[in-house]
Amino acid sequence: MRKTTSNMLILKRKRSLILLLLICIALSGNLSAQVYSVYGTTVDSKTKEVLAFVSIQVNNINQAFTSDIDGNFKISQALPINTIKFTYVGYESYLFTPIAGVKKTIILLDKKDIQLSEVVIFPTENPAHRIIYNVIDNRDKNNPENLKSFSYTAYNKMIFTANPDSLLKDTSKTDSNYFKAKEFLEKQHLFMMESVSEKKFLYPDKVNEQLIATKISGFKDPLFAMLVTQLQSFSFYKEYINIMDKNYLNPLSKNSPNSYFFLIEDTLYQKSDSVFIISFRPLRNKNFDGLKGILYINTNGWAVQNVIAEPAFPEEGGMGIKIQQNYELINEKYWFPTQLNSFLLFKNLSLNNVKLVGEGRTYIKDILINPEIKKNVFSNVEVEVLNSNTNPTDSIWKKYRIEDLDEKEIRTYHLLDSIGKKEHLDRSIRLIEALVSGRVPFKSFDIDINRILDFNDYEGFRLGLGLYTSKKISKIWTLGGYFAYGFRDKEYKYGGDLEINLYKNKGISIGAAYSNDITETGGVSFNEQNPLIANNSYNKFLLNAFDKSIKKELFFKFTTLQYLKAKVSLAQTAKSAASDYAYGLSNENVTVLINDFDYTEAALMLCYSYKEKFVKTTNYKLSLGSPYPSVYFNYIRGIKGLLNGDFDYNRFDFKTTKTFMIKKIGQ
């Protein structure tokens, strides 16, 4: 019995020793795995603007970090964090000592009070030039749009608001409206929208971007959803950077050191690579549309890692804009944009003395480099906005949103959706779409705004009205007409047409038209859309030679070879010279002067815009233009004897248009 008890005691002691040993091992493991961490956000101390790509140095060690494009940073390491130094171009450096128990903090950086235009004298060549030339030499290799193909999914978010922290500090001279606006903006934004798009690219220029989800406060029509993606160029490698539909000479363009001043502000060390922080601005006495900002150049491939840029010479008033781009190394080989930010400042637009701002962010994920993409995926529609995407399921937003909406954003949607429904804000969107096409919706009809008011030297002021059936009446056919009155010639004009769409996707239609109007003597028309502001919009103000014309026409329209728009027509026109003009016919030594003519014409009218791109919305197909010249050609055959035609002739008309950039001059 004693022996058994003794064995049991020994066994218990062994178990206790084993348990104690395991506890010691676990404790030692926990102690060795202890991680010291600090995270937070870098912001401007006065404006509370988030500062992207701030340099961060821990414990005075060369290895450096940077805050991300949204100003957030997170430092985690095994050694204790004693000091953190923050440095940023144009700001005072800041040495921060972490407080025990406080991991998250807001780092407030002060702008330098006096920033003189630096005069830097280099003993030989500017050392920044060697770096910039290396980037230029590798520009084609690093440009993502030189890849064979790529695809990605983008989550876009745009907010129009005002930051309550940056509102006026001295409120002694403000009225009650200011405080109402401040209270309103503290609870919700003015406007916000989100979208998710899938983009496919095939070298050299085939693009297909489809919005798979959209949400816009106060609106159902998704037209605005593509706004965020159109604010800036997709990457920072082309000769010109497009910002708000304006082209700026790229500081990384060929021979850019002849146009820009570069200065190395700092150097970071990230593992085995170095990152050069280089500021840039146009050289003095250089007259061109340029940018100013900061480049972060990684020696791994001499590629752009981050960039901050804004117009160097912003226009007075209007709207200011600043862009940010962040690149990451994909597949350890390809630098690719992963986030694009755009910040708008409305200089002359305020709400009760509160300046308004816009913040747009595009987050790029699911990046595939050189995937197999079939060519039949692409068409001349580059961006497609579908109405069915305006009510996406919650699962889509949970999948693609970077973070859940906060209470302020949720309130913005709820409030503006109710206002939008009450005030019919979608009508405003349809109005914008209609203005692009030249027609304004009115109940079941469209008003042709080009017919309302006009002027020329013969009629003086011309007042009229054009009315056409809308898609509410029929999506297959359109019937419309117009009338007008000239106050100088004191005569009425009128006309109408019917067009039937046989195959809308191919632009195939037939129709008939009738008009009793005046036409320019010897005037030429082409098969083109008539925008509100065309290149020849002002010519008509000077015209004084016209014919009174009664025209009857049958026509057939179609699109072929993807970019060729054609119109075939047969028309009979009776013309009478409205000005002091007569045509002389000689017959047996007798000259007869006539000013009445009958024409019968068969016409072929062609327009070829190679690689013209379009945005397709729910109701309209809007042209984005073509990088190549647009060519117009007419062949008109006058047929004598058919439908009272007086003349037999062949007529050829030709026109070409092209908009292009000249370096340092513009369009």
Side-chain angles (χ1 to χ4, degrees):
M1 184 70 180
R2 288 180 179 175
K3 189 175 182 180
T4 303
T5 303
S6 176
N7 289 337
M8 289 180 65
L9 288 172
I10 292 171
L11 182 60
K12 286 182 179 180
R13 287 175 182 173
K14 286 182 177 180
R15 288 177 178 174
S16 299
L17 288 171
I18 293 171
L19 181 60
L20 182 60
L21 182 61
L22 289 174
I23 291 172
C24 290
I25 292 172
L27 286 174
S28 64
N30 287 337
L31 289 171
S32 64
Q34 182 173 352
V35 175
Y36 298 89
S37 62
V38 176
Y39 58 94
T41 307
T42 51
V43 299
D44 185 293
S45 61
K46 291 185 178 180
T47 66
K48 302 302 184 292
E49 174 191 356
V50 169
L51 300 178
F53 316 131
V54 174
S55 302
I56 303 171
Q57 192 176 30
V58 179
N59 295 341
N60 203 29
I61 299 174
N62 280 341
Q63 193 74 15
F65 307 88
T66 59
S67 62
D68 67 17
I69 194 171
D70 292 323
N72 300 316
F73 66 90
K74 184 175 182 179
I75 303 169
S76 297
Q77 62 181 39
L79 297 175
I81 301 175
N82 299 318
T83 60
I84 307 176
K85 185 178 181 181
F86 296 86
T87 56
Y88 197 56
V89 178
Y91 285 75
E92 301 288 352
S93 61
Y94 176 64
L95 190 64
F96 174 71
T97 302
I99 302 173
V102 179
K103 292 186 177 181
K104 185 175 182 180
T105 185
I106 303 297
I107 302 299
L108 302 176
L109 299 182
D110 297 324
K111 228 172 192 178
K112 291 181 180 177
D113 293 332
I114 300 176
Q115 295 190 58
L116 298 176
S117 298
E118 63 278 308
V119 177
V120 183
I121 300 175
F122 300 104
T124 54
E125 183 188 14
N126 183 346
H129 287 180
R130 179 181 62 84
I131 300 169
I132 294 301
Y133 279 123
N134 281 336
V135 178
I136 294 172
D137 291 341
N138 288 273
R139 189 178 60 174
D140 290 341
K141 183 185 72 174
N142 290 319
N143 185 355
E145 291 175 300
N146 282 337
L147 292 168
K148 173 187 172 184
S149 63
F150 63 75
S151 66
Y152 63 77
T153 303
Y155 167 71
N156 310 292
K157 185 176 182 179
M158 186 85 193
I159 293 174
F160 292 94
T161 187
N163 185 354
D165 293 330
S166 65
L167 302 182
L168 295 175
K169 302 301 180 183
D170 181 12
T171 58
S172 59
K173 298 181 180 180
T174 57
D175 56 19
S176 61
N177 289 330
Y178 169 82
F179 294 102
K180 289 179 181 179
K182 185 176 184 295
E183 183 181 3
F184 175 86
L185 291 167
E186 286 174 340
K187 293 180 179 179
Q188 66 270 305
H189 303 295
L190 289 174
F191 175 79
M192 69 175 290
M193 58 187 175
E194 300 172 281
S195 68
V196 177
S197 60
E198 292 180 344
K199 184 173 181 178
K200 295 180 176 65
F201 171 87
L202 187 65
Y203 185 83
D205 55 7
K206 292 186 180 297
V207 176
N208 175 270
E209 185 170 8
Q210 194 169 46
L211 272 72
I212 61 176
T214 60
K215 187 174 178 64
I216 308 173
S217 58
F219 298 89
K220 293 182 179 179
D221 194 300
L223 176 64
F224 277 151
M226 66 177 185
L227 175 64
V228 185
T229 60
Q230 305 299 313
L231 290 176
Q232 60 171 293
S233 294
F234 169 66
S235 73
F236 212 76
Y237 284 103
K238 291 187 175 181
E239 281 289 302
Y240 293 92
I241 301 299
N242 187 275
I243 301 177
M244 287 290 291
D245 205 32
K246 184 174 180 179
N247 289 315
Y248 297 88
L249 183 65
N250 191 342
L252 298 178
S253 62
K254 188 177 181 180
N255 295 322
S256 61
N258 294 332
S259 304
Y260 281 92
F261 171 77
F262 297 94
L263 182 67
I264 300 176
E265 302 281 357
D266 201 355
T267 303
L268 308 179
Y269 301 96
Q270 297 179 349
K271 297 181 180 179
S272 60
D273 302 319
S274 299
V275 178
F276 295 104
I277 301 177
I278 300 176
S279 63
F280 62 90
R281 60 169 172 76
L283 288 169
R284 294 185 182 89
N285 303 320
K286 295 288 184 178
N287 185 22
F288 65 95
D289 290 327
L291 299 169
K292 64 179 180 179
I294 307 170
L295 289 164
Y296 292 69
I297 305 301
N298 196 304
T299 55
N300 184 352
W302 295 103
V304 174
Q305 180 171 304
N306 313 115
V307 61
I308 302 172
E310 60 184 300
F313 310 106
E315 298 178 4
E316 293 294 330
M319 182 166 58
I321 183 169
K322 180 169 70 175
I323 67 169
Q324 300 170 344
Q325 296 187 354
N326 182 69
Y327 294 74
E328 292 182 11
L329 200 58
I330 307 298
N331 301 338
E332 299 183 355
K333 185 177 180 181
Y334 306 100
W335 288 95
F336 200 88
T338 56
Q339 187 172 342
L340 310 175
N341 289 351
S342 303
F343 300 95
L344 310 176
L345 174 62
F346 298 92
K347 299 176 182 178
N348 292 333
L349 186 62
S350 62
L351 177 64
N352 295 330
N353 295 322
V354 179
K355 292 293 183 182
L356 305 182
V357 297
E359 298 179 1
R361 288 178 168 83
T362 296
Y363 300 88
I364 298 173
K365 55 191 297 186
D366 303 331
I367 300 168
L368 294 177
I369 304 296
N370 296 330
E372 290 296 328
I373 304 177
K374 295 181 179 180
K375 289 185 178 181
N376 59 10
V377 171
F378 304 95
S379 68
N380 59 3
V381 176
E382 189 168 283
V383 183
E384 189 168 8
V385 185
L386 300 179
N387 193 43
S388 58
N389 296 333
T390 57
N391 293 304
T393 61
D394 290 338
S395 61
I396 292 180
W397 294 121
K398 288 181 180 178
K399 180 179 180 181
Y400 292 107
R401 276 180 180 144
I402 302 303
E403 56 187 7
D404 294 335
L405 299 181
D406 57 31
E407 292 184 7
K408 191 173 182 179
E409 293 168 335
I410 294 173
R411 183 178 176 84
T412 302
Y413 273 136
H414 286 329
L415 177 65
L416 293 181
D417 284 349
S418 61
I419 294 174
K421 186 175 181 181
K422 181 179 178 181
E423 301 296 332
H424 305 289
L425 294 181
D426 273 310
R427 293 178 182 175
S428 301
I429 299 296
R430 289 194 291 271
L431 178 61
I432 293 173
E433 290 179 325
L435 285 171
V436 176
S437 67
R439 295 183 180 182
V440 175
F442 177 72
K443 295 185 177 181
S444 297
F445 296 89
D446 290 337
I447 299 174
D448 187 348
I449 59 178
N450 293 307
R451 299 283 186 182
I452 296 175
L453 183 64
D454 210 338
F455 177 86
N456 59 67
D457 194 51
Y458 175 77
E459 293 178 290
F461 282 102
R462 171 179 169 134
L463 190 64
L465 178 66
L467 205 62
Y468 289 84
T469 59
S470 70
K471 292 182 179 180
K472 291 182 179 180
I473 295 178
S474 175
K475 294 182 180 180
I476 299 175
W477 53 266
T478 303
L479 177 64
Y482 74 92
F483 76 90
Y485 179 77
F487 285 90
R488 182 173 294 171
D489 66 342
K490 299 184 179 358
E491 291 188 1
Y492 289 97
K493 296 89 179 174
Y494 52 89
D497 61 82
L498 170 67
E499 186 169 358
I500 303 172
N501 292 313
L502 302 178
Y503 190 16
K504 188 176 180 180
N505 290 338
K506 292 293 184 180
I508 299 176
S509 64
I510 59 173
Y514 173 86
S515 64
N516 188 334
D517 207 333
I518 62 170
T519 57
E520 178 190 355
T521 300
V524 180
S525 62
F526 293 92
N527 183 26
E528 60 183 330
Q529 183 181 0
N530 293 318
L532 290 180
I533 302 177
N535 294 332
N536 60 349
S537 296
Y538 307 107
N539 297 4
K540 56 190 176 185
F541 297 143
L542 307 176
L543 298 178
N544 56 18
F546 287 91
D547 299 325
K548 297 178 181 179
S549 303
I550 299 176
K551 183 177 181 179
K552 305 164 189 174
E553 181 184 25
L554 297 173
F555 60 83
F556 172 57
K557 296 179 181 179
F558 61 94
T559 300
T560 186
L561 302 177
Q562 192 172 0
Y563 305 109
L564 180 65
K565 294 184 282 289
K567 177 181 178 181
V568 180
S569 66
L570 179 66
Q572 193 276 329
T573 307
K575 288 189 177 184
S576 177
S579 57
D580 186 15
Y581 171 85
Y583 181 68
L585 286 176
S586 298
N587 186 11
E588 297 180 356
N589 297 322
V590 176
T591 300
V592 180
L593 300 177
I594 59 174
N595 59 5
D596 294 317
F597 315 93
D598 289 313
Y599 301 92
T600 299
E601 295 180 331
L604 172 64
M605 309 175 74
L606 304 175
C607 171
Y608 187 71
S609 295
Y610 181 58
K611 294 194 175 181
E612 181 180 15
K613 299 296 184 181
F614 295 88
V615 171
K616 187 178 181 182
T617 68
T618 310
N619 301 311
Y620 296 97
K621 188 176 178 181
L622 310 176
S623 176
L624 294 173
S626 168
Y628 299 93
S630 295
V631 179
Y632 303 87
F633 173 77
N634 297 342
Y635 168 61
I636 301 173
R637 171 65 179 170
I639 307 173
K640 186 176 182 179
L642 179 63
L643 301 176
N644 300 321
D646 291 336
F647 303 96
D648 230 347
Y649 56 89
N650 295 301
R651 172 173 167 171
F652 303 91
D653 303 318
F654 175 81
K655 178 176 77 168
T656 182
T657 63
K658 165 68 176 168
T659 300
F660 55 93
M661 292 292 298
I662 298 178
K663 202 169 185 178
K664 301 183 183 179
I665 295 179
Q667 287 189 344

